[in-house]
mmCIF file of all heavy atoms in Angstrom:
data_model
loop_
_atom_site.group_PDB
_atom_site.id
_atom_site.type_symbol
_atom_site.label_atom_id
_atom_site.label_comp_id
_atom_site.label_asym_id
_atom_site.label_seq_id
_atom_site.Cartn_x
_atom_site.Cartn_y
_atom_site.Cartn_z
ATOM 1 N N PHE W 118 -0.351 7.385 -9.268
ATOM 2 C CA PHE W 118 -1.237 7.227 -10.424
ATOM 3 C C PHE W 118 -2.480 8.102 -10.319
ATOM 4 O O PHE W 118 -3.049 8.499 -11.328
ATOM 5 C CB PHE W 118 -1.660 5.764 -10.593
ATOM 6 C CG PHE W 118 -0.623 4.940 -11.269
ATOM 7 C CD1 PHE W 118 0.310 4.247 -10.527
ATOM 8 C CD2 PHE W 118 -0.562 4.870 -12.650
ATOM 9 C CE1 PHE W 118 1.283 3.484 -11.150
ATOM 10 C CE2 PHE W 118 0.411 4.112 -13.287
ATOM 11 C CZ PHE W 118 1.336 3.417 -12.527
ATOM 12 N N VAL W 119 -2.903 8.369 -9.115
ATOM 13 C CA VAL W 119 -4.113 9.171 -8.928
ATOM 14 C C VAL W 119 -3.822 10.643 -9.177
ATOM 15 O O VAL W 119 -4.565 11.323 -9.881
ATOM 16 C CB VAL W 119 -4.701 8.945 -7.515
ATOM 17 C CG1 VAL W 119 -5.896 9.842 -7.267
ATOM 18 C CG2 VAL W 119 -5.078 7.482 -7.339
ATOM 19 N N SER W 120 -2.749 11.153 -8.599
ATOM 20 C CA SER W 120 -2.371 12.555 -8.799
ATOM 21 C C SER W 120 -0.893 12.711 -8.459
ATOM 22 O O SER W 120 -0.522 12.698 -7.278
ATOM 23 C CB SER W 120 -3.211 13.473 -7.917
ATOM 24 O OG SER W 120 -2.722 14.785 -7.957
ATOM 25 N N LEU W 121 -0.076 12.867 -9.472
ATOM 26 C CA LEU W 121 1.363 13.006 -9.262
ATOM 27 C C LEU W 121 1.691 14.196 -8.354
ATOM 28 O O LEU W 121 2.444 14.034 -7.386
ATOM 29 C CB LEU W 121 2.089 13.110 -10.602
ATOM 30 C CG LEU W 121 3.603 13.236 -10.532
ATOM 31 C CD1 LEU W 121 4.221 12.005 -9.896
ATOM 32 C CD2 LEU W 121 4.188 13.462 -11.914
ATOM 33 N N PRO W 122 1.133 15.402 -8.594
ATOM 34 C CA PRO W 122 1.471 16.526 -7.704
ATOM 35 C C PRO W 122 1.035 16.297 -6.251
ATOM 36 O O PRO W 122 1.795 16.576 -5.327
ATOM 37 C CB PRO W 122 0.719 17.715 -8.311
ATOM 38 C CG PRO W 122 0.367 17.315 -9.689
ATOM 39 C CD PRO W 122 0.286 15.829 -9.717
ATOM 40 N N SER W 123 -0.172 15.755 -6.063
ATOM 41 C CA SER W 123 -0.651 15.492 -4.694
ATOM 42 C C SER W 123 0.215 14.443 -4.006
ATOM 43 O O SER W 123 0.514 14.560 -2.816
ATOM 44 C CB SER W 123 -2.101 15.014 -4.714
ATOM 45 O OG SER W 123 -2.935 15.978 -5.265
ATOM 46 N N ALA W 124 0.612 13.414 -4.757
ATOM 47 C CA ALA W 124 1.460 12.372 -4.189
ATOM 48 C C ALA W 124 2.817 12.928 -3.797
ATOM 49 O O ALA W 124 3.341 12.617 -2.723
ATOM 50 C CB ALA W 124 1.623 11.231 -5.190
ATOM 51 N N LEU W 125 3.401 13.765 -4.646
ATOM 52 C CA LEU W 125 4.714 14.350 -4.334
ATOM 53 C C LEU W 125 4.640 15.265 -3.115
ATOM 54 O O LEU W 125 5.537 15.252 -2.266
ATOM 55 C CB LEU W 125 5.270 15.096 -5.540
ATOM 56 C CG LEU W 125 5.626 14.203 -6.743
ATOM 57 C CD1 LEU W 125 6.083 15.055 -7.924
ATOM 58 C CD2 LEU W 125 6.682 13.180 -6.371
ATOM 59 N N ILE W 126 3.569 16.041 -2.999
ATOM 60 C CA ILE W 126 3.390 16.891 -1.813
ATOM 61 C C ILE W 126 3.258 16.021 -0.566
ATOM 62 O O ILE W 126 3.852 16.301 0.477
ATOM 63 C CB ILE W 126 2.172 17.828 -1.984
ATOM 64 C CG1 ILE W 126 2.479 18.869 -3.060
ATOM 65 C CG2 ILE W 126 1.795 18.499 -0.667
ATOM 66 C CD1 ILE W 126 1.270 19.675 -3.517
ATOM 67 N N SER W 127 2.501 14.951 -0.679
ATOM 68 C CA SER W 127 2.327 14.026 0.445
ATOM 69 C C SER W 127 3.659 13.391 0.850
ATOM 70 O O SER W 127 3.965 13.262 2.043
ATOM 71 C CB SER W 127 1.314 12.948 0.045
ATOM 72 O OG SER W 127 1.097 12.054 1.080
ATOM 73 N N ILE W 128 4.466 13.017 -0.133
ATOM 74 C CA ILE W 128 5.782 12.434 0.155
ATOM 75 C C ILE W 128 6.700 13.467 0.815
ATOM 76 O O ILE W 128 7.438 13.149 1.752
ATOM 77 C CB ILE W 128 6.405 11.851 -1.132
ATOM 78 C CG1 ILE W 128 5.608 10.617 -1.571
ATOM 79 C CG2 ILE W 128 7.874 11.504 -0.932
ATOM 80 C CD1 ILE W 128 5.944 10.113 -2.963
ATOM 81 N N LEU W 129 6.634 14.715 0.369
ATOM 82 C CA LEU W 129 7.432 15.779 0.999
ATOM 83 C C LEU W 129 7.002 16.004 2.446
ATOM 84 O O LEU W 129 7.849 16.224 3.325
ATOM 85 C CB LEU W 129 7.309 17.082 0.202
ATOM 86 C CG LEU W 129 8.080 17.124 -1.117
ATOM 87 C CD1 LEU W 129 7.741 18.403 -1.881
ATOM 88 C CD2 LEU W 129 9.575 17.020 -0.873
ATOM 89 N N ILE W 130 5.701 15.958 2.696
ATOM 90 C CA ILE W 130 5.196 16.091 4.074
ATOM 91 C C ILE W 130 5.745 14.954 4.932
ATOM 92 O O ILE W 130 6.198 15.172 6.060
ATOM 93 C CB ILE W 130 3.653 16.123 4.094
ATOM 94 C CG1 ILE W 130 3.154 17.444 3.502
ATOM 95 C CG2 ILE W 130 3.109 15.921 5.501
ATOM 96 C CD1 ILE W 130 1.665 17.495 3.244
ATOM 97 N N PHE W 131 5.714 13.739 4.388
ATOM 98 C CA PHE W 131 6.259 12.597 5.119
ATOM 99 C C PHE W 131 7.734 12.822 5.455
ATOM 100 O O PHE W 131 8.155 12.629 6.596
ATOM 101 C CB PHE W 131 6.103 11.306 4.311
ATOM 102 C CG PHE W 131 6.866 10.160 4.884
ATOM 103 C CD1 PHE W 131 6.370 9.458 5.964
ATOM 104 C CD2 PHE W 131 8.111 9.790 4.378
ATOM 105 C CE1 PHE W 131 7.080 8.402 6.525
ATOM 106 C CE2 PHE W 131 8.835 8.746 4.918
ATOM 107 C CZ PHE W 131 8.312 8.046 5.998
ATOM 108 N N CYS W 132 8.518 13.224 4.454
ATOM 109 C CA CYS W 132 9.969 13.422 4.661
ATOM 110 C C CYS W 132 10.240 14.493 5.715
ATOM 111 O O CYS W 132 11.094 14.313 6.589
ATOM 112 C CB CYS W 132 10.643 13.784 3.347
ATOM 113 S SG CYS W 132 10.664 12.425 2.161
#
Side-chain angles (χ1 to χ4, degrees):
F118 279 93
V119 176
S120 171
L121 181 63
S123 299
L125 293 176
I126 291 169
S127 181
I128 291 168
L129 285 173
I130 289 170
F131 169 79
C132 292

